[in-house]
Amino acid sequence: GDADNPFVPYPGSVMHEGLTTPWAVTGVGESVVWLSQDHTGRNRIVAASDYAPQAVSTPAIDFALASYGSNVDMEVLAYEQEGHQFAIFTSPSGDTTWAFDVVENEWHQRAGWNTVTGQYARWRARGLASTPAGLLCGDYATGELYTLDLDTFTDGGRMIRREKVTPFLSSENQWLFLDQFE
């Protein structure tokens, strides 16, 4: 910068990725990750550790983002646990939460189980702080605080329902019958 203007353009640093909402940008490790909208109006999630953002969302994530109707309420939180750095994107409109593992460069969904509707809903965590006592997060619905750790097997006292979806096992597109699996 200079004395009159502290913000001076850095040569060659023009990005063509906009920020969709101010609540969907965070720093994770050495990168900045955010919900972007490109010049075609498509929403996607990008990361940049220099002046060249790269898409980190997959076509499936992009399709899901487009299905929410509006992403102006998208929120992100970031934390590190057991050597993994996570950026967690929650869409209140879509009632869905997507988690990006920066270390593994992989995505997964997080959810809470709604016992009234019998369906998955967005992950309850909203806001997160790293303290000497551990990772503390708030519950968006109740405002209660919880410790986010790997040794607690409930979601604020509620059951955590897990679902593993596997790819199709047959390489020939034929029916495959399994007598047992482990």
Side-chain angles (χ1 to χ4, degrees):
D2 61 31
D4 298 325
N5 184 6
F7 300 104
V8 176
Y10 187 80
S13 64
V14 176
M15 294 184 202
H16 297 284
E17 297 286 346
L19 179 62
T20 305
T21 175
W23 300 280
V25 60
T26 190
V28 181
E30 300 297 318
S31 298
V32 177
V33 182
W34 70 94
L35 175 65
S36 168
Q37 188 173 66
D38 66 13
H39 65 282
T40 65
R42 179 180 63 160
N43 287 324
R44 62 187 184 163
I45 297 173
V46 298
S49 56
D50 53 18
Y51 300 107
Q54 300 293 319
V56 294
S57 58
T58 65
I61 303 284
D62 297 346
F63 181 80
L65 293 172
S67 74
Y68 300 151
S70 174
N71 286 306
V72 296
D73 60 352
M74 182 77 71
E75 302 170 353
V76 64
L77 60 90
Y79 70 95
E80 183 175 344
Q81 190 173 39
E82 298 290 325
H84 291 266
Q85 298 167 342
F86 296 101
I88 313 295
F89 289 86
T90 297
S91 171
S93 296
D95 202 21
T96 306
T97 301
W98 292 96
F100 179 59
D101 184 333
V102 176
V103 174
E104 299 292 334
N105 198 31
E106 292 187 356
W107 287 91
H108 64 273
Q109 280 189 285
R110 297 199 182 170
W113 183 252
N114 186 330
T115 56
V116 175
T117 64
Q119 296 179 334
Y120 288 106
R122 65 184 268 199
W123 194 38
R124 298 181 71 90
R126 183 179 200 189
L128 195 128
S130 180
T131 70
L135 295 168
L136 297 179
C137 63
D139 185 317
Y140 79 91
T142 66
E144 295 178 43
L145 291 177
Y146 303 109
T147 302
L148 181 64
D149 65 54
L150 300 176
D151 296 322
T152 302
F153 303 108
T154 64
D155 189 8
R158 290 170 291 281
M159 172 187 74
I160 297 177
R161 184 178 173 124
R162 292 176 172 83
E163 181 177 328
K164 173 68 174 164
V165 179
T166 62
F168 189 65
L169 299 174
S170 174
S171 62
E172 313 252 334
N173 257 353
Q174 300 296 319
W175 283 97
L176 180 65
F177 297 94
L178 303 172
D179 293 327
Q180 57 182 234
F181 64 92
E182 184 176 332

